[in-house]
Amino acid sequence: MSKLKESLDFPRPLTTVDGVVFAIRDDALHVLLVQRAAGEGEPFPGSWALPGGFVDTVRDNSLEACAIRKLKEKTGVVSPYLEQLGSWGSATRDPRGWSATHAYFALLPAVPTRDQHAADAEWFAVTAGRVKPKLAFDHGDILQAAIQRLRSKVEYTSLPAYLMPQEFTLPDLQRVYEIVLDRVLEKSAFRARMLAADLIEPLARMRKGPNRPAQLYRLKKAKSPVYFARTFNPPG
């Protein structure tokens, strides 16, 4: 054994990566949860938790690579937006021993079907910043941090655009902003901001319906979110 390996011969914490995966479903913000196994020796058997798992030192060359792999395993898709949220660690968060998890949050433009996501995964509505089931480990705290981060960044960025399908109208986009922020936005001001941001481009067709035809848009190619000069001020 080399001197370097000898110098690193000390107990290591369990290391995991967990993902907070958001999508819009049934006109509400949803988060993807997985149900833990009920086998003997499993911590929090049968409880709901954020999707994630242990870092594979052979397959994962970074924490982000692990997050992408776990997201693909649970949803069957690769998120267009992935951001590191933070790290949580203690001697008590996992009954198996000292553990640390590195959390990411992801945004999906469409909800995967049952055939796409893992059999143990389900979507849960976020109501008043919470979900109904009590989450395993400290995943409730991680979810709260992710919701707060998402809502904070939505105030001054184009993050909700990553929740949109390939084609949408301006009212569609405004509705997604309102769902995430949990408040109504002023229509004309929102429209002016979106068009001025050079974020979207019109398509050569309209959406037809019972009312007046609506212009369809799509996102312009962008490697990162657009940042606005000011936040969306609450009405009134």
Side-chain angles (χ1 to χ4, degrees):
M1 183 181 290
S2 68
K3 290 184 178 180
L4 178 59
K5 287 185 177 179
E6 288 179 354
S7 68
L8 294 176
D9 189 16
F10 57 85
R12 293 170 175 78
L14 304 172
T15 304
T16 59
V17 169
D18 290 304
V20 187
V21 186
F22 292 116
I24 300 298
R25 180 177 183 177
D26 299 328
D27 206 39
L29 182 67
H30 281 65
V31 64
L32 187 70
L33 301 178
V34 295
Q35 191 165 31
R36 294 189 54 78
E40 185 177 354
E42 288 285 344
F44 302 95
S47 296
W48 291 94
L50 298 171
F54 290 103
V55 172
D56 186 325
T57 57
V58 176
R59 299 165 64 189
D60 304 324
N61 60 16
S62 67
L63 293 173
E64 183 173 333
C66 181
I68 293 171
R69 177 174 62 84
K70 287 297 181 181
L71 177 63
K72 183 70 179 294
E73 289 174 356
K74 294 300 181 182
T75 68
V77 298
V78 176
S79 171
Y81 186 82
L82 186 70
E83 177 181 323
Q84 190 167 18
L85 179 64
S87 298
W88 281 256
S90 74
T92 58
R93 65 178 301 273
D94 190 323
R96 293 170 294 188
W98 215 111
S99 73
T101 192
H102 307 279
Y104 286 75
F105 81 86
L107 304 178
L108 294 185
V111 177
T113 65
R114 164 62 75 177
D115 292 337
Q116 288 177 296
H117 70 62
D120 61 349
E122 291 290 345
W123 291 94
F124 287 82
V126 176
T127 305
R130 299 182 181 276
V131 291
K132 280 189 176 181
K134 184 177 181 181
L135 302 186
F137 306 104
D138 49 5
H139 289 186
D141 295 335
I142 297 173
L143 175 59
Q144 286 290 309
I147 294 170
Q148 184 176 0
R149 172 78 64 86
L150 176 62
R151 285 182 171 164
S152 173
K153 295 193 77 169
V154 166
E155 290 283 2
Y156 59 90
T157 73
S158 63
L159 274 193
Y162 292 102
L163 295 164
M164 302 303 298
Q166 289 186 342
E167 299 180 2
F168 54 86
T169 65
L170 275 173
D172 293 338
L173 182 58
Q174 179 173 340
R175 180 57 189 149
V176 169
Y177 266 87
E178 292 173 339
I179 288 170
V180 176
L181 290 172
D182 196 26
R183 69 170 191 266
V184 176
L185 299 176
E186 203 279 319
K187 182 177 178 179
S188 61
F190 178 86
R191 180 184 180 88
R193 177 174 295 195
M194 291 300 111
L195 295 178
D198 197 31
L199 169 69
I200 58 179
E201 57 187 6
L203 299 176
R205 57 183 174 277
M206 310 284 279
R207 178 187 291 170
K208 296 180 180 179
N211 300 316
R212 181 176 166 185
Q215 175 66 56
L216 284 168
Y217 292 86
R218 68 183 176 191
L219 294 177
K220 289 188 175 182
K221 297 291 184 182
K223 292 184 178 180
S224 59
V226 173
Y227 286 78
F228 305 128
R230 53 191 175 83
T231 62
F232 288 97
N233 294 323

